[in-house]
Amino acid sequence: MNFDWGFFWKNLLTPGTPFLQGLALTVLISVLAMAGALVVGLVIALMRRSTFAPLRVIASLYIWLIRGTPLLVQLVIIYTGFAAANVFRFQDVDLGGILIKAAIQAAIVGLIMNESAYISEIIRAGLDSVPIGQTEAAQALGMSGPSAMRWIILPQSLRLMVPPLGNSFNGLMKSTSILSVIGVSEMFLVTQSISASTFRTFEIFAVVAVYYLALTTIWTVIQSAIEKKLNARVGIVTTASPWQRLFGGRRSMPLSPLSPLAAQESLK
């Protein structure tokens, strides 16, 4: 096999316009899908915690159905299956001169539905981690249920939710490569087109692998900064750096503000 290093470096350092557009679309779809999944996931999590039995049943069935079927199957059903069955058909939409293709709409909806089923369990676990006494204390002060959730429960559980939610976003960005099956011109589909026209499959897919790695690495650094800031608010010193999270190294745990090592770290 003759690996064309010139072709590799050219496409890695100076990618063409279609590749950059695919990269931008990958990031945009990931961000929009994650934002929507957080909202839907929160609703599903609250339904799971509801005292109204039908809401708990609906939420449980939703999670069971979505988590029990592959994302690829869900995307095909949402975009192609519903249209074939005359249930619903996505149409291109023009928003202020910006054309949003039907396939992109279906992709975002499919990713939101799939990711929200997993995120709802992350949120539910985070909410359940807050002692029940916090809710009782809020009610004793005259706070309503929604107010206690907004000001007491969610802020305390957020710090525990961030790591798994960040990992979910990382996985979501990589899952966008599946969107090529419904014709979304994201980074992976553009790469397939370049491969078909140049016959440099290994080189061009090595390029796209580097770009996916760069996206997940950037997000890991951002996530680490968010976790560190949230830990600092409650007096916990985080000693692990983003590079230790990426490449390993000594095992490091958040430190209690009362520990001697935490005091030393705070002086650095």
Side-chain angles (χ1 to χ4, degrees):
M1 181 187 67
N2 182 23
F3 189 89
D4 191 337
W5 286 101
F7 181 87
F8 171 79
W9 288 113
K10 179 178 181 293
N11 283 274
L12 180 66
L13 300 178
T14 57
T17 300
F19 188 90
L20 292 177
Q21 291 175 341
L23 172 62
L25 186 58
T26 294
V27 175
L28 179 61
I29 289 177
S30 299
V31 172
L32 292 178
M34 188 64 184
L38 284 171
V39 175
V40 177
L42 176 59
V43 172
I44 298 299
L46 295 177
M47 289 173 63
R48 285 288 303 271
R49 290 166 52 91
S50 174
T51 57
F52 188 50
L55 288 180
R56 295 198 306 272
V57 171
I58 293 173
S60 298
L61 288 175
Y62 178 86
I63 294 172
W64 168 72
L65 178 63
I66 298 300
R67 294 178 64 175
T69 54
L71 172 59
L72 178 60
V73 174
Q74 295 167 15
L75 288 171
V76 173
I77 290 176
I78 290 172
Y79 183 58
T80 306
F82 285 165
N86 292 322
V87 175
F88 180 79
R89 185 185 300 272
F90 286 92
Q91 302 289 342
D92 293 349
V93 176
D94 189 350
L95 293 179
I98 300 176
L99 181 64
I100 304 177
K101 295 184 178 180
I104 295 177
Q105 300 172 45
I108 294 174
V109 171
L111 288 174
I112 288 175
M113 292 180 59
N114 182 268
E115 198 65 28
S116 64
Y118 296 91
I119 287 178
S120 66
E121 290 297 275
I122 294 174
I123 295 176
R124 185 175 67 88
L127 297 177
D128 289 345
S129 68
V130 178
I132 188 64
Q134 298 288 325
T135 303
E136 295 172 349
Q139 292 174 345
L141 293 174
M143 297 181 70
S144 64
S147 295
M149 179 63 66
R150 167 64 180 84
W151 298 106
I152 305 297
I153 308 303
L154 273 177
Q156 294 187 65
S157 60
L158 182 60
R159 184 178 62 84
L160 300 176
M161 294 180 195
V162 167
L165 288 177
N167 294 338
S168 293
F169 183 61
N170 245 345
L172 177 61
M173 281 195 292
K174 291 179 287 187
S175 296
T176 56
S177 60
I178 301 178
L179 303 180
S180 60
V181 300
I182 59 173
V184 177
S185 297
E186 42 69 54
M187 193 162 50
F188 187 81
L189 183 58
V190 173
T191 302
Q192 286 182 313
S193 300
I194 297 174
S195 172
S197 61
T198 62
F199 300 100
R200 289 294 179 181
T201 302
F202 191 12
E203 292 89 338
I204 194 62
F205 277 99
V207 169
V208 78
V210 171
Y211 272 90
Y212 276 117
L213 183 61
L215 288 177
T216 56
T217 300
I218 292 171
W219 172 246
T220 299
V221 174
I222 295 173
Q223 178 186 341
S224 179
I226 295 173
E227 291 179 24
K228 186 175 182 179
K229 184 174 182 179
L230 291 175
N231 286 335
R233 286 185 177 180
V234 295
I236 297 178
V237 179
T238 305
T239 61
S241 69
W243 311 115
Q244 287 175 324
R245 297 183 54 164
L246 287 169
F247 305 114
R250 66 186 179 87
R251 185 178 179 183
S252 188
M253 299 293 291
L255 301 174
S256 165
L258 300 179
S259 69
L261 184 55
Q264 296 176 15
E265 290 288 340
S266 64
L267 295 176
K268 293 183 179 180

